[in-house]
Amino acid sequence: MSFPTRRLRRLRTTSKMRELTQETRLSMKDLICPVFVQEDLKTRIKVESMSEIERLPLEDINDEVGTISDLGIPAIMLFGIPSKKDEVGSSSFDDNGIVQKAISQIRKNFGDKIVIMADVCLCQFTSTGHCGIIKGNKIDNDTSLDTLAKIAVSQAKMGVDTVSPSAMMDGQVYAIRKALDDNGFTDVSIMSHSAKHRSSFYSPFRDAAECAPKFGDRKTYQVPFTNSREAMMEVETDINEGVDIVMIKPALSYLDLITETRKRFNIPVAAYSVSGEYALVKGAAMQGWINEKDITEEILYSIKRAGADMIVTYFAKSAARFLQES
Ligand SMILES: [Zn+2]
Protein backbone atom coordinates (compact mmCIF):
# COMPACT_ATOMS: atom_id res chain seq x y z
CA MET A 1 0.00 0.00 0.00
CA SER A 2 1.55 3.33 -1.04
CA PHE A 3 0.93 6.58 0.84
CA PRO A 4 0.78 9.98 -0.76
CA THR A 5 3.90 12.03 0.10
CA ARG A 6 1.80 15.05 0.94
CA ARG A 7 0.22 14.57 4.36
CA LEU A 8 -1.97 17.58 5.08
CA ARG A 9 -2.70 16.31 8.58
CA ARG A 10 0.86 17.26 9.65
CA LEU A 11 -0.20 20.87 9.96
CA ARG A 12 -3.28 20.00 12.03
CA THR A 13 -1.48 18.14 14.81
CA THR A 14 -1.68 20.69 17.66
CA SER A 15 -3.72 23.76 18.40
CA LYS A 16 -0.60 25.96 18.15
CA MET A 17 0.26 24.45 14.76
CA ARG A 18 -3.31 25.09 13.60
CA GLU A 19 -3.10 28.68 14.84
CA LEU A 20 0.14 29.18 12.95
CA THR A 21 -1.24 27.88 9.68
CA GLN A 22 -4.65 29.55 9.94
CA GLU A 23 -5.32 31.37 6.67
CA THR A 24 -8.27 33.55 7.57
CA ARG A 25 -8.28 35.76 10.66
CA LEU A 26 -11.26 37.36 12.30
CA SER A 27 -11.01 40.24 14.72
CA MET A 28 -13.48 42.50 16.49
CA LYS A 29 -11.79 45.18 14.39
CA ASP A 30 -13.52 43.68 11.32
CA LEU A 31 -16.98 44.32 12.74
CA ILE A 32 -19.55 47.09 12.41
CA CYS A 33 -22.38 47.06 14.96
CA PRO A 34 -25.86 48.24 13.90
CA VAL A 35 -27.67 50.51 16.40
CA PHE A 36 -31.37 51.42 16.29
CA VAL A 37 -32.44 54.69 17.87
CA GLN A 38 -36.07 55.73 18.16
CA GLU A 39 -37.46 59.23 18.66
CA ASP A 40 -39.59 59.96 21.77
CA LEU A 41 -38.88 56.58 23.28
CA LYS A 42 -38.72 56.33 27.08
CA THR A 43 -37.30 52.84 27.57
CA ARG A 44 -35.63 50.24 25.37
CA ILE A 45 -37.92 48.05 23.23
CA LYS A 46 -36.96 44.50 22.31
CA VAL A 47 -37.24 43.59 18.64
CA GLU A 48 -39.54 40.56 18.64
CA SER A 49 -37.97 38.74 15.69
CA MET A 50 -34.36 39.58 16.62
CA SER A 51 -33.54 38.19 20.04
CA GLU A 52 -31.25 40.51 22.10
CA ILE A 53 -31.60 43.41 19.63
CA GLU A 54 -33.32 46.53 20.97
CA ARG A 55 -34.50 49.92 19.82
CA LEU A 56 -32.95 52.54 22.05
CA PRO A 57 -34.09 55.91 23.32
CA LEU A 58 -31.66 58.74 22.58
CA GLU A 59 -30.74 58.83 26.30
CA ASP A 60 -29.30 55.30 26.09
CA ILE A 61 -27.15 55.84 23.02
CA ASN A 62 -23.99 56.82 24.88
CA ASP A 63 -24.16 53.72 27.08
CA GLU A 64 -24.65 51.48 24.08
CA VAL A 65 -21.85 53.03 22.05
CA GLY A 66 -19.60 52.85 25.14
CA THR A 67 -20.26 49.10 25.41
CA ILE A 68 -19.55 48.59 21.70
CA SER A 69 -16.37 50.65 21.84
CA ASP A 70 -15.11 48.88 24.98
CA LEU A 71 -15.49 45.57 23.13
CA GLY A 72 -12.95 46.80 20.58
CA ILE A 73 -15.47 47.20 17.74
CA PRO A 74 -14.35 50.20 15.67
CA ALA A 75 -17.64 51.27 14.06
CA ILE A 76 -21.39 51.56 14.47
CA MET A 77 -24.11 51.81 11.83
CA LEU A 78 -26.98 54.02 12.94
CA PHE A 79 -30.61 53.53 11.95
CA GLY A 80 -33.32 55.94 13.11
CA ILE A 81 -37.03 55.48 13.71
CA PRO A 82 -38.82 58.85 13.68
CA SER A 83 -42.10 59.74 15.44
CA LYS A 84 -43.51 61.38 12.35
CA LYS A 85 -43.54 60.01 8.82
CA ASP A 86 -44.81 61.73 5.69
CA GLU A 87 -44.86 61.11 1.96
CA VAL A 88 -41.50 62.75 1.33
CA GLY A 89 -39.72 61.55 4.48
CA SER A 90 -38.98 65.09 5.68
CA SER A 91 -37.78 64.00 9.14
CA SER A 92 -34.90 62.17 7.44
CA PHE A 93 -33.01 65.39 6.68
CA ASP A 94 -34.20 67.51 9.60
CA ASP A 95 -31.24 68.84 11.59
CA ASN A 96 -33.28 67.98 14.69
CA GLY A 97 -34.09 64.50 13.39
CA ILE A 98 -33.44 61.46 15.54
CA VAL A 99 -30.41 60.23 13.58
CA GLN A 100 -28.91 63.73 13.48
CA LYS A 101 -29.32 64.10 17.26
CA ALA A 102 -27.78 60.68 17.85
CA ILE A 103 -24.76 61.45 15.63
CA SER A 104 -24.17 64.76 17.34
CA GLN A 105 -24.43 63.22 20.82
CA ILE A 106 -22.07 60.34 19.99
CA ARG A 107 -19.55 62.68 18.36
CA LYS A 108 -19.59 64.95 21.43
CA ASN A 109 -19.06 62.03 23.79
CA PHE A 110 -16.69 59.82 21.90
CA GLY A 111 -14.74 62.16 19.64
CA ASP A 112 -12.75 60.00 17.23
CA LYS A 113 -12.93 56.85 19.39
CA ILE A 114 -15.56 55.24 17.16
CA VAL A 115 -16.39 55.45 13.45
CA ILE A 116 -19.93 56.75 13.12
CA MET A 117 -21.67 55.36 10.07
CA ALA A 118 -25.31 56.18 9.35
CA ASP A 119 -27.85 54.68 7.02
CA VAL A 120 -29.07 57.01 4.29
CA CYS A 121 -32.48 55.91 3.13
CA LEU A 122 -36.08 56.99 3.17
CA CYS A 123 -38.02 53.85 4.10
CA GLN A 124 -37.99 54.53 7.88
CA PHE A 125 -39.19 58.09 7.25
CA THR A 126 -41.80 57.81 4.49
CA SER A 127 -45.46 57.01 5.15
CA THR A 128 -45.24 54.64 2.16
CA GLY A 129 -42.33 52.64 3.64
CA HIS A 130 -40.52 52.84 0.30
CA CYS A 131 -36.86 53.77 -0.12
CA GLY A 132 -37.70 56.55 -2.58
CA ILE A 133 -40.32 59.21 -3.21
CA ILE A 134 -43.47 58.23 -5.05
CA LYS A 135 -44.61 60.23 -8.05
CA GLY A 136 -47.75 58.96 -9.74
CA ASN A 137 -47.58 55.26 -9.10
CA LYS A 138 -43.80 54.99 -9.40
CA ILE A 139 -40.81 55.48 -7.17
CA ASP A 140 -39.20 58.50 -8.80
CA ASN A 141 -35.46 57.97 -8.99
CA ASP A 142 -34.22 61.52 -9.51
CA THR A 143 -36.52 63.23 -6.98
CA SER A 144 -35.35 60.65 -4.45
CA LEU A 145 -31.70 61.51 -5.18
CA ASP A 146 -32.22 65.11 -4.02
CA THR A 147 -33.58 63.88 -0.71
CA LEU A 148 -30.85 61.28 -0.21
CA ALA A 149 -28.26 64.02 -0.79
CA LYS A 150 -29.99 66.25 1.78
CA ILE A 151 -29.94 63.42 4.35
CA ALA A 152 -26.22 62.88 3.81
CA VAL A 153 -25.43 66.60 4.20
CA SER A 154 -27.54 66.89 7.37
CA GLN A 155 -25.72 63.88 8.87
CA ALA A 156 -22.36 65.34 7.84
CA LYS A 157 -23.20 68.60 9.64
CA MET A 158 -23.65 66.60 12.85
CA GLY A 159 -20.28 64.87 12.49
CA VAL A 160 -20.92 61.54 10.78
CA ASP A 161 -17.78 59.81 9.46
CA THR A 162 -19.42 57.68 6.79
CA VAL A 163 -22.80 57.89 5.11
CA SER A 164 -24.25 54.64 3.91
CA PRO A 165 -26.86 54.95 1.17
CA SER A 166 -29.11 51.89 0.99
CA ALA A 167 -31.96 53.12 -1.20
CA MET A 168 -30.67 51.51 -4.42
CA MET A 169 -31.58 54.57 -6.50
CA ASP A 170 -29.45 54.92 -9.64
CA GLY A 171 -26.88 57.67 -9.25
CA GLN A 172 -27.18 57.87 -5.44
CA VAL A 173 -23.43 57.79 -4.81
CA TYR A 174 -22.74 60.58 -7.30
CA ALA A 175 -25.58 62.74 -5.96
CA ILE A 176 -24.39 62.32 -2.38
CA ARG A 177 -20.68 62.82 -3.18
CA LYS A 178 -21.45 66.01 -5.07
CA ALA A 179 -23.68 67.40 -2.30
CA LEU A 180 -21.13 66.56 0.39
CA ASP A 181 -18.30 68.19 -1.58
CA ASP A 182 -20.38 71.26 -2.46
CA ASN A 183 -21.03 71.74 1.25
CA GLY A 184 -17.40 71.34 2.28
CA PHE A 185 -17.66 67.77 3.60
CA THR A 186 -14.93 66.31 1.42
CA ASP A 187 -13.69 64.11 4.30
CA VAL A 188 -17.00 62.33 4.83
CA SER A 189 -16.78 58.91 3.21
CA ILE A 190 -19.45 56.85 1.49
CA MET A 191 -20.07 53.16 2.08
CA SER A 192 -22.75 52.27 -0.41
CA HIS A 193 -25.08 49.31 -0.19
CA SER A 194 -23.88 48.72 -3.73
CA ALA A 195 -25.37 45.33 -4.48
CA LYS A 196 -28.35 45.20 -2.17
CA HIS A 197 -30.52 42.34 -3.27
CA ARG A 198 -34.25 41.99 -3.18
CA SER A 199 -34.23 39.51 -0.33
CA SER A 200 -36.56 37.81 2.10
CA PHE A 201 -33.72 37.87 4.61
CA TYR A 202 -34.63 41.47 5.56
CA SER A 203 -37.99 40.82 7.19
CA PRO A 204 -36.89 40.91 10.87
CA PHE A 205 -35.18 44.29 10.17
CA ARG A 206 -38.52 45.71 9.11
CA ASP A 207 -39.76 44.90 12.61
CA ALA A 208 -36.75 46.65 14.05
CA ALA A 209 -36.92 49.77 11.89
CA GLU A 210 -40.65 49.90 11.10
CA CYS A 211 -39.98 50.26 7.40
CA ALA A 212 -42.01 47.60 5.61
CA PRO A 213 -43.46 48.96 2.35
CA LYS A 214 -47.17 49.75 2.70
CA PHE A 215 -47.84 48.54 -0.83
CA GLY A 216 -45.98 46.71 -3.56
CA ASP A 217 -42.41 45.51 -3.04
CA ARG A 218 -38.84 46.63 -3.72
CA LYS A 219 -38.32 44.69 -6.93
CA THR A 220 -38.06 47.83 -9.08
CA TYR A 221 -34.96 49.05 -7.26
CA GLN A 222 -33.15 46.20 -5.51
CA VAL A 223 -30.96 43.71 -7.41
CA PRO A 224 -32.64 40.41 -8.33
CA PHE A 225 -30.99 37.58 -6.41
CA THR A 226 -30.70 35.65 -9.67
CA ASN A 227 -28.26 38.14 -11.26
CA SER A 228 -24.57 38.21 -10.45
CA ARG A 229 -23.40 40.18 -13.51
CA GLU A 230 -25.90 42.88 -12.66
CA ALA A 231 -24.56 42.94 -9.07
CA MET A 232 -21.04 43.55 -10.44
CA MET A 233 -22.40 46.38 -12.61
CA GLU A 234 -23.87 47.96 -9.47
CA VAL A 235 -20.50 47.76 -7.71
CA GLU A 236 -18.64 49.13 -10.74
CA THR A 237 -21.13 51.98 -11.15
CA ASP A 238 -20.72 52.99 -7.49
CA ILE A 239 -16.94 52.96 -7.88
CA ASN A 240 -17.22 55.17 -10.96
CA GLU A 241 -19.45 57.54 -8.98
CA GLY A 242 -16.83 57.92 -6.23
CA VAL A 243 -17.77 55.44 -3.51
CA ASP A 244 -15.17 54.66 -0.81
CA ILE A 245 -16.39 51.26 0.41
CA VAL A 246 -18.71 48.92 -1.49
CA MET A 247 -21.09 46.50 0.16
CA ILE A 248 -22.69 43.20 -0.74
CA LYS A 249 -25.98 42.56 1.08
CA PRO A 250 -27.09 40.03 2.37
CA ALA A 251 -23.90 38.04 3.06
CA LEU A 252 -24.37 34.33 3.56
CA SER A 253 -26.33 33.48 0.41
CA TYR A 254 -24.15 35.91 -1.57
CA LEU A 255 -20.62 34.75 -0.70
CA ASP A 256 -19.88 34.22 -4.40
CA LEU A 257 -20.50 37.92 -5.03
CA ILE A 258 -18.24 38.96 -2.16
CA THR A 259 -15.45 36.84 -3.70
CA GLU A 260 -16.11 38.20 -7.18
CA THR A 261 -16.06 41.81 -5.93
CA ARG A 262 -12.81 41.18 -4.03
CA LYS A 263 -11.20 39.70 -7.15
CA ARG A 264 -12.34 42.38 -9.56
CA PHE A 265 -11.92 45.62 -7.63
CA ASN A 266 -9.24 47.15 -5.41
CA ILE A 267 -11.64 48.80 -3.00
CA PRO A 268 -12.63 47.90 0.56
CA VAL A 269 -15.48 45.39 0.52
CA ALA A 270 -18.08 45.24 3.28
CA ALA A 271 -20.63 42.49 3.73
CA TYR A 272 -23.91 42.99 5.56
CA SER A 273 -24.97 39.88 7.41
CA VAL A 274 -28.62 40.82 7.65
CA SER A 275 -31.43 40.36 10.15
CA GLY A 276 -32.80 37.16 8.60
CA GLU A 277 -29.39 35.52 8.81
CA TYR A 278 -29.26 36.51 12.48
CA ALA A 279 -32.80 35.31 13.15
CA LEU A 280 -32.15 31.88 11.60
CA VAL A 281 -29.23 31.29 13.95
CA LYS A 282 -30.95 32.76 17.01
CA GLY A 283 -34.16 30.84 16.39
CA ALA A 284 -32.39 27.51 16.08
CA ALA A 285 -30.10 28.27 19.03
CA MET A 286 -33.07 29.14 21.25
CA GLN A 287 -34.48 25.71 20.45
CA GLY A 288 -31.18 24.13 21.42
CA TRP A 289 -30.73 22.72 17.93
CA ILE A 290 -27.36 24.36 17.23
CA ASN A 291 -24.51 25.91 19.20
CA GLU A 292 -24.87 29.65 18.68
CA LYS A 293 -21.25 30.60 19.30
CA ASP A 294 -19.81 27.89 17.04
CA ILE A 295 -22.22 28.65 14.20
CA THR A 296 -21.68 32.41 14.48
CA GLU A 297 -17.94 31.94 14.38
CA GLU A 298 -18.16 29.71 11.29
CA ILE A 299 -20.48 32.13 9.48
CA LEU A 300 -18.32 35.19 10.19
CA TYR A 301 -15.14 33.36 9.16
CA SER A 302 -16.80 32.24 5.92
CA ILE A 303 -17.70 35.84 5.09
CA LYS A 304 -14.09 36.90 5.74
CA ARG A 305 -12.76 33.92 3.76
CA ALA A 306 -14.99 34.93 0.84
CA GLY A 307 -13.13 38.24 0.75
CA ALA A 308 -14.95 40.76 2.94
CA ASP A 309 -12.78 43.31 4.71
CA MET A 310 -15.50 44.22 7.18
CA ILE A 311 -18.83 42.81 8.30
CA VAL A 312 -21.94 44.61 9.47
CA THR A 313 -23.54 42.08 11.81
CA TYR A 314 -26.07 41.85 14.63
CA PHE A 315 -23.64 39.37 16.19
CA ALA A 316 -20.99 42.12 16.52
CA LYS A 317 -21.16 42.35 20.33
CA SER A 318 -21.42 38.62 21.03
CA ALA A 319 -18.69 37.85 18.48
CA ALA A 320 -16.40 40.50 19.97
CA ARG A 321 -16.88 38.85 23.37
CA PHE A 322 -15.83 35.41 22.18
CA LEU A 323 -13.00 36.86 20.10
CA GLN A 324 -11.68 38.63 23.21
CA GLU A 325 -11.62 35.30 25.04
CA SER A 326 -9.91 33.32 22.29
ZN1 LIG B 1 -34.68 51.77 2.48
Side-chain angles (χ1 to χ4, degrees):
M1 187 166 146
S2 67
F3 278 93
T5 51
R6 186 175 299 280
R7 287 176 182 261
L8 290 163
R9 291 184 57 197
R10 284 181 195 125
L11 300 183
R12 300 174 194 150
T13 47
T14 67
S15 71
K16 288 294 163 200
M17 184 64 88
R18 290 191 293 274
E19 268 175 31
L20 183 69
T21 55
Q22 184 173 323
E23 296 176 29
T24 306
R25 310 273 174 190
L26 178 69
S27 155
M28 46 283 233
K29 291 180 186 143
D30 299 324
L31 306 176
I32 299 168
C33 188
V35 174
F36 296 97
V37 58
Q38 180 166 350
E39 200 167 16
D40 299 326
L41 196 63
K42 295 281 170 277
T43 52
R44 294 175 176 231
I45 300 179
K46 287 188 189 334
V47 178
E48 189 69 29
S49 49
M50 296 174 74
S51 170
E52 290 172 42
I53 302 295
E54 296 172 315
R55 292 195 218 151
L56 308 179
L58 190 61
E59 292 68 38
D60 282 16
I61 279 289
N62 284 341
D63 275 0
E64 179 70 9
V65 174
T67 305
I68 294 167
S69 173
D70 288 347
L71 284 165
I73 299 166
I76 55 158
M77 166 78 78
L78 269 176
F79 294 93
I81 302 114
S83 294
K84 288 194 196 95
K85 304 188 186 217
D86 58 28
E87 282 191 0
V88 295
S90 42
S91 52
S92 63
F93 52 85
D94 183 342
D95 287 351
N96 284 311
I98 183 64
V99 176
Q100 287 76 4
K101 280 185 184 163
I103 294 168
S104 149
Q105 190 173 305
I106 298 164
R107 178 61 70 218
K108 238 178 248 153
N109 254 276
F110 294 89
D112 290 340
K113 288 201 187 104
I114 192 125
V115 176
I116 307 173
M117 299 179 153
D119 183 59
V120 173
C121 199
L122 280 164
C123 49
Q124 290 99 299
F125 303 92
T126 49
S127 45
T128 63
H130 274 290
C131 303
I133 291 167
I134 313 272
K135 264 194 178 172
N137 57 357
K138 276 190 183 162
I139 291 147
D140 190 75
N141 194 85
D142 297 8
T143 311
S144 307
L145 292 183
D146 294 339
T147 308
L148 293 171
K150 278 196 223 168
I151 300 174
V153 170
S154 73
Q155 293 178 351
K157 276 194 239 165
M158 301 302 147
V160 81
D161 290 294
T162 307
V163 292
S164 191
S166 61
M168 291 304 290
M169 294 296 123
D170 287 331
Q172 63 182 10
V173 170
Y174 177 78
I176 289 171
R177 183 73 271 157
K178 184 169 186 319
L180 288 172
D181 291 354
D182 287 350
N183 285 277
F185 298 113
T186 50
D187 285 345
V188 171
S189 49
I190 303 176
M191 175 169 80
S192 182
H193 294 224
S194 304
K196 179 179 179 183
H197 294 81
R198 208 282 304 161
S199 170
S200 299
F201 281 101
Y202 304 142
S203 43
F205 176 89
R206 291 172 190 164
D207 256 11
E210 287 184 352
C211 61
K214 297 286 181 291
F215 58 88
D217 52 42
R218 297 191 163 118
K219 286 182 184 161
T220 66
Y221 44 103
Q222 296 180 342
V223 186
F225 54 72
T226 48
N227 293 4
S228 54
R229 293 195 301 267
E230 191 174 333
M232 289 307 103
M233 290 274 282
E234 287 283 4
V235 170
E236 193 175 0
T237 304
D238 278 0
I239 293 172
N240 292 339
E241 289 179 22
V243 80
D244 300 284
I245 303 170
V246 296
M247 183 200 287
I248 303 295
K249 183 180 181 182
L252 204 48
S253 296
Y254 299 81
L255 294 178
D256 56 328
L257 301 180
I258 295 171
T259 303
E260 192 65 22
T261 306
R262 171 74 296 134
K263 278 188 189 153
R264 283 198 199 197
F265 306 106
N266 292 321
I267 193 160
V269 179
Y272 199 136
S273 180
V274 301
S275 57
E277 297 173 56
Y278 178 82
L280 289 181
V281 172
K282 278 287 183 186
M286 282 155 70
Q287 297 287 332
W289 294 337
I290 55 166
N291 179 307
E292 182 182 324
K293 174 191 168 282
D294 292 351
I295 292 269
T296 305
E297 197 174 22
E298 193 171 332
I299 290 174
L300 294 176
Y301 269 103
S302 74
I303 298 169
K304 278 292 302 279
R305 193 188 63 232
D309 297 296
M310 58 195 90
I311 310 170
V312 187
T313 172
Y314 300 99
F315 284 112
K317 286 192 285 178
S318 60
R321 284 189 189 104
F322 69 63
L323 286 164
Q324 271 180 346
E325 287 160 15
S326 63

